Amino acid sequence: MKNLLTPLLLFLCSVNFAQTNNNVDTYKLNQDFGKIIQDLSDNYIYLEDKKTDFDCVKKNYSNVIFRVKTNQERVLFFEYLLNEFYDNNLILNTTTKSSFRLKSPFYVKLKDGKFYIENIWYSQIKDFGKNIIGAQVLNFNSKEFNEVIDNFPTQCVNKKLPEVREWIANKIISGRLNESRILTLKLADDRKISLNVDKIKIKENKKLLSVYKTNGIAVIKINNSLGNNN
């Protein structure tokens, strides 16, 4: 079990930043942990469909509670726990500088052990003229993409399963809030390019609905509201 816990412990020990004096109440954290485990057990309707070892989640995460010392570590602790279920509907209402974003401008698909860009969020991107549909993702921040997936901080789900691996791949491209996202892509014509995902401009839609006319046709567009609890 020591080997299983090492990646989680290493990360929890490395993210103190300026919050080292913001101490966490271990007793309260343990109560919150018990509550989220109970809620998942009682209310998460996809629990039986997931390929996650729930007993592993309960055991492994309970064993590192005493290591959680700051509020940032506390948030990451629960983020990592929820990531074990590879479900974007399971999210917290708070984030830290090291949290993963909820969305990406691309969607990548697993095929024969490799990842390819299958879709681009054109409706939410400003002036993106690159033709990268079908491009293979080779590297993420100069590291081999499959290696980055293997190192993703989950402990109790089989990363070799296609549905899990594909979810993790897209989570990685969504990226952490405090880290860059530079992809090395191999295009359909075998050319290799570097793409800085953070330089892609996302449209800011303050309204949930947009209405406009184009070529005499009225268009009603439902805008993204992911993360907007209002």
Side-chain angles (χ1 to χ4, degrees), residues 106-123:
F106 313 126
Y107 187 83
V108 298
K109 189 79 174 176
L110 176 63
K111 182 179 180 181
D112 298 326
K114 300 176 183 178
F115 287 92
Y116 300 87
I117 293 179
E118 182 182 65
N119 210 341
I120 300 176
W121 201 14
Y122 283 115
S123 66

Side-chain angles (χ1 to χ4, degrees), residues 112-153:
D112 298 326
K114 300 176 183 178
F115 287 92
Y116 300 87
I117 293 179
E118 182 182 65
N119 210 341
I120 300 176
W121 201 14
Y122 283 115
S123 66
Q124 298 295 317
I125 296 177
K126 292 182 180 178
D127 303 322
F128 187 75
K130 295 181 177 63
N131 182 15
I132 59 171
I133 293 290
Q136 181 186 348
V137 182
L138 300 178
N139 297 327
F140 180 84
N141 290 343
S142 300
K143 296 181 180 179
E144 200 275 325
F145 195 51
N146 275 299
E147 179 184 341
V148 178
I149 295 171
D150 291 335
N151 292 329
F152 189 80

Side-chain angles (χ1 to χ4, degrees), residues 145-192:
F145 195 51
N146 275 299
E147 179 184 341
V148 178
I149 295 171
D150 291 335
N151 292 329
F152 189 80
T154 53
Q155 312 296 316
C156 301
V157 63
N158 185 357
K159 296 176 185 175
K160 294 182 180 179
L161 294 173
E163 62 187 290
V164 174
R165 203 162 186 82
E166 191 169 295
W167 182 86
I168 292 176
N170 284 285
K171 196 72 171 175
I172 289 168
I173 293 179
S174 295
R176 295 186 187 276
L177 293 170
N178 64 346
E179 290 182 355
S180 61
R181 295 176 291 168
I182 299 177
L183 301 178
T184 302
L185 303 177
K186 182 180 179 182
L187 303 180
D189 61 5
D190 287 338
R191 285 186 299 123
K192 293 181 181 179

Side-chain angles (χ1 to χ4, degrees), residues 50-82:
K50 294 296 179 177
K51 308 299 190 301
T52 302
D53 186 338
F54 196 35
D55 288 334
C56 169
V57 172
K58 292 184 283 187
K59 185 175 182 180
N60 284 15
Y61 283 79
S62 67
N63 284 339
V64 297
I65 286 177
F66 75 99
R67 301 259 187 165
V68 179
K69 301 300 182 183
T70 71
N71 278 333
Q72 176 150 309
E73 293 172 358
R74 175 177 60 85
V75 173
L76 289 173
F77 171 83
F78 286 115
E79 280 187 6
Y80 288 178
L81 188 157
L82 294 180

Side-chain angles (χ1 to χ4, degrees), residues 8 33 81 85 98 113 198 214:
L8 178 62
F33 171 73
L81 188 157
F85 301 94
S98 298
D198 295 308
T214 178

